[in-house]
DNA sequence: CGTTGACTTGAACGATATCAAACAGGGTGG
DNA sequence: CCACCCTGTTTGATATCGTTCAAGTCAACG
């Protein structure tokens, strides 16, 4: 999937309104009053991006912020020889962009189809200064992201391949909207579509594609998970999967 | 080095004043006015901790914040079987504590002797609300920490042992005060004392003690670094060390 | 001196990477 | 409709880096 150039911010669709926004209560704008949301709405530009669309490039200038309305965005960092690490996964209601810097510290790329609510950087920063409590909310978001990234450091530095995969599947299942539980499946067996390819999972966990594939095949063979195609996954044995996130190596 | 219980916040030394504080301009309090610093000074309690002193415990309640005046603090996370990962290293002028949470998301432990300037949580949060621009500064700190932790995720997930060690030594050399360049050594050959033991370096880099030791011995044998004892390190060939932080594996 | 703790070194092992090939599904053009 | 390719994934065989286990060194200290 070839990545494309950063999209043009100018072309936009203003038809969508904040008061009908699905992530309104969870996103940072949830901290705003009715009047403030109206002001924010005025500077909002909606974007619909195809999978693979580059949103931000490492070390390059960014001139906007965004909320994710739907879809999944990956934040990545690369070494010179092409090795890649996903350093963050962003889901609907997450905030995109690095305040107080002109250059992005990472790449951001649409993983699925993505619907963004974007704001011009300067305009947005003006509103942040003006709106009581808005920066506070963004600060809280950032602290949560920092906690999550430290959790991930523990995984990257100290967990085995099996533990990494189990942790990843549970993390994703928590954040993905579940697809309709068609059939007579047990409700304790959530089904969802993996947003990431095997290669992307590998880049997230610090593994290779092959190791990811083998680990997933393993879980399938043990009937801990089920797969319909490559992407649709059912957790068949949740307790066992939770166990696998941390195996005692005494 | 057995870790001790969290210290008692009540016993304190008020003799020290902010206006003579060595990290005043670099720390978060640098954003404050003269009058505000005076107010902050009133609630500050100074602490001098021995190496190994536990400062915060994962999942346990914290009732204070602190600035590091001198020394090094490690933030760690553990798995049930004892595997440990250092998820942050804090140096003088860094801020310690997790705003807007009652429970610490990690352990914090003094690595060297540490001089802290502590503040009661409730009192401090009151001043944060009151002082224009103080929260803003803390927000910026947090964003920088997040950037650093993502940089570290790239290292943990994708770098080889050699690259990890080289990156670590450069990172530490940047943040440690250099010891006097005694002798006729080239000024481009900085000397400093490693704040971490081999075991701690291993926990920081997601390696074992033995691998760390071997990698350091390697660098010494290649005359890229020099060692006086186990802790005092001289960078003999800076360009070569920088090269090693990222080796092309094409 | 003998003990202790931190570090180093060596040898063998094993988890994960690497290399290579086969496989599956989806689209395209004949 | 089928043959073909294209891309993503799985599977197998082998190699390798880093771990594990086991001694051995060294300096500090009682």
């Amino acid at each position: 999937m070839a990545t494309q150039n950063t999209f043009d911010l100018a072309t936009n669709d203003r038809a969508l309104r904040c008061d009908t926004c699905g992530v309104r209560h969870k996103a940072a704008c949830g901290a705003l009053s009715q009047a403030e949301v109206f002001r924010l709405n005025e500077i909002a530009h909606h974007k619909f991006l195809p999978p693979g669309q580059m949103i931000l490039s490492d070390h390059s200038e960014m001139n906007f912020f965004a909320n994710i309305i739907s879809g999944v965005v990956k934040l990545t960092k690369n070494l010179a020889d092409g090795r890649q690490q996903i350093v963050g996964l962003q889901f609907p209601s997450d905030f995109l962009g690095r305040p107080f810097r002109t250059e992005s510290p990472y790449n951001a790329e649409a993983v699925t189809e993505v619907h963004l609510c974007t704001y011009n950087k300067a305009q947005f920063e003006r509103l942040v200064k003006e709106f009581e409590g808005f920066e506070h909310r963004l600060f809280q978001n950032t602290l949560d992201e920092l906690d999550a990234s430290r959790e991930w450091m523990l995984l990257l530095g100290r967990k085995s391949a099996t533990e990494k995969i189990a942790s990843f599947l549970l993390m994703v299942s928590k954040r993905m909207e579940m697809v309709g539980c068609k059939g007579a499946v047990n409700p304790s067996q959530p089904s969802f579509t993996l947003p990431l390819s095997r290669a992307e999972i590998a880049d997230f966990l610090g593994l290779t594609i092959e190791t990811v594939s083998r680990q997933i095949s393993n879980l399938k063979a043990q009937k801990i998970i089920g797969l319909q195609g490559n992407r649709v996954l059912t957790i068949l044995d949740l307790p066992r999967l939770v166990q696998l996130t941390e195996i005692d190596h005494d």
Side-chain angles (χ1 to χ4, degrees), chain A residues 108-123:
Chain A
E109 186 181 327
V111 163
T112 62
E113 282 220 340
V114 169
H115 175 186
L116 289 185
C117 181
T118 67
Y119 317 98
N120 169 278
K121 189 173 169 74
Q123 289 179 314

Side-chain angles (χ1 to χ4, degrees), chain A residues 5 9 14 28 85 153 204 218 223 239:
Chain A
N5 264 338
L9 194 69
R14 291 272 193 84
Q85 178 66 43
M153 286 174 69
F204 198 25
N218 251 343
K223 308 242 185 267

Side-chain angles (χ1 to χ4, degrees), chain A residues 31-32 36 127-136:
Chain A
L32 302 179
E36 288 168 340
L127 293 186
V128 168
K129 279 207 188 102
E130 190 179 331
F131 295 167
E132 183 69 29
F134 199 20
E135 177 163 298
H136 181 79

Side-chain angles (χ1 to χ4, degrees), chain A residues 46-248:
Chain A
H46 286 267
K47 295 284 155 195
F48 297 85
L49 314 177
Q53 171 75 61
M54 211 64 181
I55 301 169
L56 296 168
S57 293
D58 199 359
H59 303 301
S60 79
E61 203 179 325
M62 38 178 189
N63 55 353
F64 66 94
F65 297 114
N67 272 305
I68 300 175
I69 310 287
S70 71
V72 179
V73 172
K74 64 177 176 183
L75 312 182
T76 65
K77 282 170 93 71
N78 288 92
L79 296 175
D81 61 359
R83 281 174 290 173
Q84 182 168 94
Q85 178 66 43
I86 295 184
V87 298
L89 260 197
Q90 311 273 70
F91 292 88
S93 84
D94 284 347
F95 182 79
L96 204 58
R98 171 52 163 98
F100 320 129
R101 279 271 160 85
T102 55
E103 297 200 350
S104 173
Y106 42 66
N107 308 297
E109 186 181 327
V111 163
T112 62
E113 282 220 340
V114 169
H115 175 186
L116 289 185
C117 181
T118 67
Y119 317 98
N120 169 278
K121 189 173 169 74
Q123 289 179 314
F124 185 82
E125 284 176 341
R126 223 170 293 132
L127 293 186
V128 168
K129 279 207 188 102
E130 190 179 331
F131 295 167
E132 183 69 29
F134 199 20
E135 177 163 298
H136 181 79
R137 176 62 170 265
L138 293 171
F139 185 17
Q140 288 185 318
N141 277 3
T142 303
L143 284 162
D144 289 339
E145 272 191 85
L146 182 57
D147 289 345
S149 93
R150 286 183 162 145
E151 191 71 39
W152 219 248
M153 286 174 69
L154 176 62
L155 174 142
L156 289 171
R158 290 302 183 200
K159 287 195 174 181
S160 70
T162 307
E163 293 171 317
K164 283 176 174 179
I165 292 283
S167 305
F168 169 76
L169 294 179
L170 284 172
M171 187 276 272
V172 171
S173 80
K174 276 193 197 110
R175 298 224 50 182
M176 289 296 290
E177 59 270 64
M178 301 297 148
V179 305
C181 294
K182 37 193 179 285
V185 276
N186 188 324
S188 74
Q189 298 183 346
S191 266
F192 57 93
T193 301
L194 287 172
L196 303 187
S197 68
R198 300 294 184 268
E200 288 169 322
I201 296 172
D203 282 344
F204 198 25
L205 299 177
L207 299 169
T208 58
I209 300 179
E210 295 92 329
T211 303
V212 170
S213 178
R214 273 184 255 269
Q215 293 293 336
I216 289 181
S217 298
N218 251 343
L219 293 176
K220 202 168 115 188
Q222 293 181 254
K223 308 242 185 267
I224 295 172
I225 63 171
L227 278 177
Q228 299 106 276
N230 288 329
R231 295 292 192 115
V232 179
L233 189 143
T234 309
I235 297 177
L236 300 174
D237 188 345
L238 185 56
R240 186 89 192 89
L241 191 60
V242 171
Q243 271 179 24
L244 289 181
T245 61
E246 206 174 325
I247 306 164
D248 252 282

